[in-house]
Amino acid sequence: MLGLVPIILGYLPLTMFMAAVGMICALILGALLAVERVARIPVLDQAVVVFISFFRGTPLLVQLFLFYFGLPSLMPFMSGLTGVQATIIGLTLHFSAYMAESIRAAIQGVDRSQWEASEAVGMTRIQMMRRIILPQAARVAAPTLMNYFIDMIKSTSLAFTLGVTEMMGATQKEASSSFLFFESFIVVALVYWVLVEALSFVQRRLETNLNKAFTR
Amino acid sequence: MIRLDKLTKRFGTNTVLNGIDLTIQDGERVVIIGPSGTGKSTLLRCINFLDRPDEGVIGIGDLSVDAARATKAQILGLRRRTAFVFQNYALFANKTARQNITEALITVQGRPRAEAEARADTILQETGLADKADSYPAALSGGQQQRVGIGRAMALDAELMLFDEPTSALDPEWVGEVLDLMRRVAERQQTMLIVTHEMQFAREIADRVIFMDGGRIVEQGPPAQIFENAQDPRTQAFLRRVKQ
Ligand SMILES: Nc1ncnc2c1ncn2[C@@H]1O[C@H](COP(=O)(O)OP(=O)(O)OP(=O)(O)O)[C@@H](O)[C@H]1O
Ligand SMILES: [Mg+2]
């Protein structure tokens, strides 16, 4: 049974690849969506509201099926989409919707004096966001965003439904050839658990450092 | 020269500035006094569009802005010709003391980093904060934060420096060092428009004192005239109250 561990770990890089790329893309998209929600650009704002509502309001699994099986039938040029790519797109859009809301809350939580001081020295809105507001909002949002990252790692297991052999997919294959279902799935569960605990440890260290920031 | 022409500001139905006319000469130091809720802060905040005035014209140097039709570029123009010192300091919390001073020099004025840092270090010397250059605002006392706030404003080389009660939020022990710094700013022939409740300081530093009440300029003149020989009963009543 323990012989499964190295097999599963062999797929850890793919799992982490999908989660890491998804996280980076979701962070960028989430920040852009959040800035738009604060700026409330006409028309675009309505579109962003619908986007966020849709991706928070439907299951990730449904979204993944939509991208992988649904879109190619609608748009033939999407038929070259691999399962890994579809997973990354799905994770990005799904989690960016959640992140947009926490980043927006963090932006709006930045003290009014920070906005006014930036305006008073003559910064443009973009300069103000980039130099003053977003860095401060990032500190506030970091713990929540880290939780989304952990959530995202676990969500990569859904990729196996798109035929991707990642940690979950590999376990599934091993289980059905060996018939050791309980043993296989308990092992993969333990691998995820250890992985998440390790990240939670990093997260707690990070938070202590974030709390110490700006006080030197 | 600074010119305000019929500057008007309403919050809903509450007219807070009622057609303010004011001209300030280059290098002049003007102090505004008056009761609470009279529109002193609003006047300062309208000059750089932190609050958007409803009507009137704001002229600073060669820039003249019709408030009702102000464009984004004109608003930036006003902000880049003025510097603001806030009652609550409003230092950038994610920047050190030095970075608070260099930030606008680099980001807004586009000066090279090395030049901006040299400027910041000179100012930190002058404000007595050289050893606090790498401290974040949260690690500074109120007096130190406000000195950084004034340093940040000094670095901008603005045509007009606006001070909104710069010592009101300070513990009494820190008021003196901030007023001292403002005296040194005044020595540089910096044009200053100051709202303050420090009457002794006003008398000493001002070329002209303006008494505001109910969104209007009630009376103005040299400090000696306003403090010893006020004509308007509202000015007299106010000064009697603050003397107690
Ligand atoms: N953002 C705002 N919304 C609505 N009303 C406001 C706002 N800011 C100020 N006011 C009102 O405008 C009036 C003038 O306020 P302002 O802060 O300019 O007074 P002030 O002379 O600076 O008073 P103080 O000496 O207490 O600082 C007050 O009646 C105040 O309630
Ligand atoms: Mg005020």
Side-chain angles (χ1 to χ4, degrees):
Chain A
M1 173 175 132
L2 282 178
L4 250 174
V5 174
I7 297 175
I8 292 175
L9 285 181
Y11 292 94
L12 178 64
L14 179 59
T15 289
M16 288 309 287
F17 171 76
M18 291 191 290
V21 175
M23 183 68 187
I24 292 167
C25 297
L27 263 180
I28 295 170
L29 183 58
L32 290 174
L33 293 171
V35 168
E36 192 297 315
R37 288 294 289 131
V38 173
R40 289 175 176 274
I41 301 160
V43 187
L44 190 57
D45 194 47
Q46 282 75 12
V48 168
V49 169
V50 172
F51 176 94
I52 292 176
S53 169
F54 177 81
F55 282 99
R56 280 167 43 122
T58 53
L60 176 56
L61 184 60
V62 174
Q63 293 165 14
L64 290 178
F65 275 38
L66 201 56
F67 289 122
Y68 189 63
F69 301 112
L71 282 189
S73 64
L74 208 66
M75 296 179 277
F77 71 90
M78 294 285 279
S79 57
L81 202 66
T82 67
V84 171
Q85 289 164 344
T87 304
I88 289 174
I89 294 174
L91 291 175
T92 297
L93 299 184
H94 184 80
F95 281 92
S96 72
Y98 282 93
M99 291 180 185
E101 289 298 282
S102 11
I103 297 173
R104 178 179 68 112
I107 289 175
Q108 289 176 334
V110 173
D111 195 80
R112 201 166 68 106
S113 69
Q114 302 297 304
W115 302 77
E116 293 194 339
S118 316
E119 289 182 338
V121 297
M123 286 190 197
T124 62
R125 307 249 343 147
I126 293 173
Q127 290 170 338
M128 166 159 105
M129 276 294 162
R130 195 167 51 86
R131 306 285 307 172
I132 308 298
I133 304 299
L134 283 179
Q136 293 188 40
R139 308 253 157 181
V140 176
T144 320
L145 298 179
M146 192 73 191
N147 282 338
Y148 285 133
F149 182 50
I150 287 173
D151 210 0
M152 198 183 275
I153 291 173
K154 291 184 287 180
S155 299
T156 56
S157 60
L158 291 176
F160 104 95
T161 62
L162 307 186
V164 177
T165 309
E166 36 65 70
M167 294 205 303
M168 182 61 192
T171 311
Q172 168 78 2
K173 280 184 188 156
E174 291 298 323
S176 37
S177 61
S178 67
F179 296 105
L180 295 170
F181 289 102
F182 179 76
E183 292 84 343
S184 306
F185 291 124
I186 197 75
V187 167
V188 76
L190 288 173
V191 171
Y192 279 115
W193 190 13
V194 169
L195 183 59
V196 167
E197 271 309 309
L199 277 163
S200 302
F201 175 76
V202 174
Q203 181 184 18
R204 282 190 295 273
R205 294 287 297 268
L206 199 76
E207 274 176 43
T208 331
N209 281 332
L210 286 179
N211 290 339
K212 267 190 288 190
F214 305 157
T215 54
R216 180 150 44 110
Chain B
M1 201 170 72
I2 320 295
R3 294 169 319 275
L4 306 182
D5 194 12
K6 305 241 164 356
L7 198 64
T8 302
K9 172 68 184 173
R10 288 179 279 271
F11 286 113
T13 55
N14 180 13
T15 303
V16 176
L17 295 181
N18 211 328
I20 300 280
D21 292 315
L22 178 63
T23 303
I24 303 174
Q25 301 301 328
D26 288 339
E28 196 180 6
R29 299 181 292 258
V30 178
V31 169
I32 302 178
I33 59 172
S36 187
T38 279
K40 305 182 298 295
S41 297
T42 306
L43 173 59
L44 260 51
R45 294 166 55 86
C46 279
I47 293 176
N48 73 351
F49 271 74
L50 283 183
D51 287 332
R52 199 185 172 100
D54 295 298
E55 287 153 38
V57 177
I58 302 168
I60 301 182
D62 56 356
L63 176 68
S64 182
V65 178
D66 181 349
R69 275 181 283 279
T71 64
K72 269 188 187 169
Q74 286 178 323
I75 293 172
L76 279 184
L78 287 177
R79 289 177 177 164
R80 289 171 185 181
R81 284 170 170 77
T82 54
F84 205 101
V85 177
F86 293 87
Q87 180 172 350
N88 61 357
Y89 333 128
L91 297 184
F92 301 128
N94 58 327
K95 306 275 174 193
T96 63
R98 185 195 280 111
Q99 290 167 339
N100 262 275
I101 298 173
T102 56
E103 180 58 35
L105 299 184
I106 296 168
T107 311
V108 178
Q109 300 185 350
R111 296 208 230 166
R113 174 174 301 277
E115 184 190 319
E117 283 178 351
R119 185 77 216 277
D121 286 335
T122 310
I123 287 177
L124 287 167
Q125 287 285 346
E126 289 170 355
T127 52
L129 291 165
D131 57 329
K132 299 290 179 192
D134 297 318
S135 299
Y136 284 93
L140 299 175
S141 75
Q144 289 168 337
Q145 287 189 61
Q146 191 58 296
R147 277 146 65 198
V148 175
I150 295 172
R152 175 175 69 182
M154 287 162 69
L156 296 172
D157 289 322
E159 288 181 50
L160 174 66
M161 261 172 92
L162 300 159
F163 295 80
D164 188 10
E165 299 198 30
T167 58
S168 297
L170 293 174
D171 287 339
E173 51 179 325
W174 308 124
V175 170
E177 64 188 43
V178 170
L179 294 182
D180 277 344
L181 180 56
M182 287 174 67
R183 286 189 190 94
R184 266 178 285 142
V185 174
E187 280 165 15
R188 309 169 160 215
Q189 305 308 308
Q190 168 72 55
T191 314
M192 300 163 86
L193 182 57
I194 304 167
V195 174
T196 185
H197 288 298
E198 299 283 336
M199 295 301 154
Q200 189 51 45
F201 175 74
R203 179 190 296 247
E204 168 199 333
I205 201 175
D207 297 311
R208 176 159 45 128
V209 175
I210 291 177
F211 174 73
M212 265 182 80
D213 195 14
R216 293 176 204 273
I217 294 179
V218 172
E219 187 170 1
Q220 55 181 311
Q225 181 190 319
I226 297 295
F227 287 114
E228 273 129 46
N229 197 15
Q231 301 299 306
D232 195 283
R234 283 169 290 181
T235 320
Q236 294 165 352
F238 173 76
L239 289 172
R240 261 199 310 279
R241 252 184 297 133
V242 296
K243 264 181 202 142
Q244 284 163 5

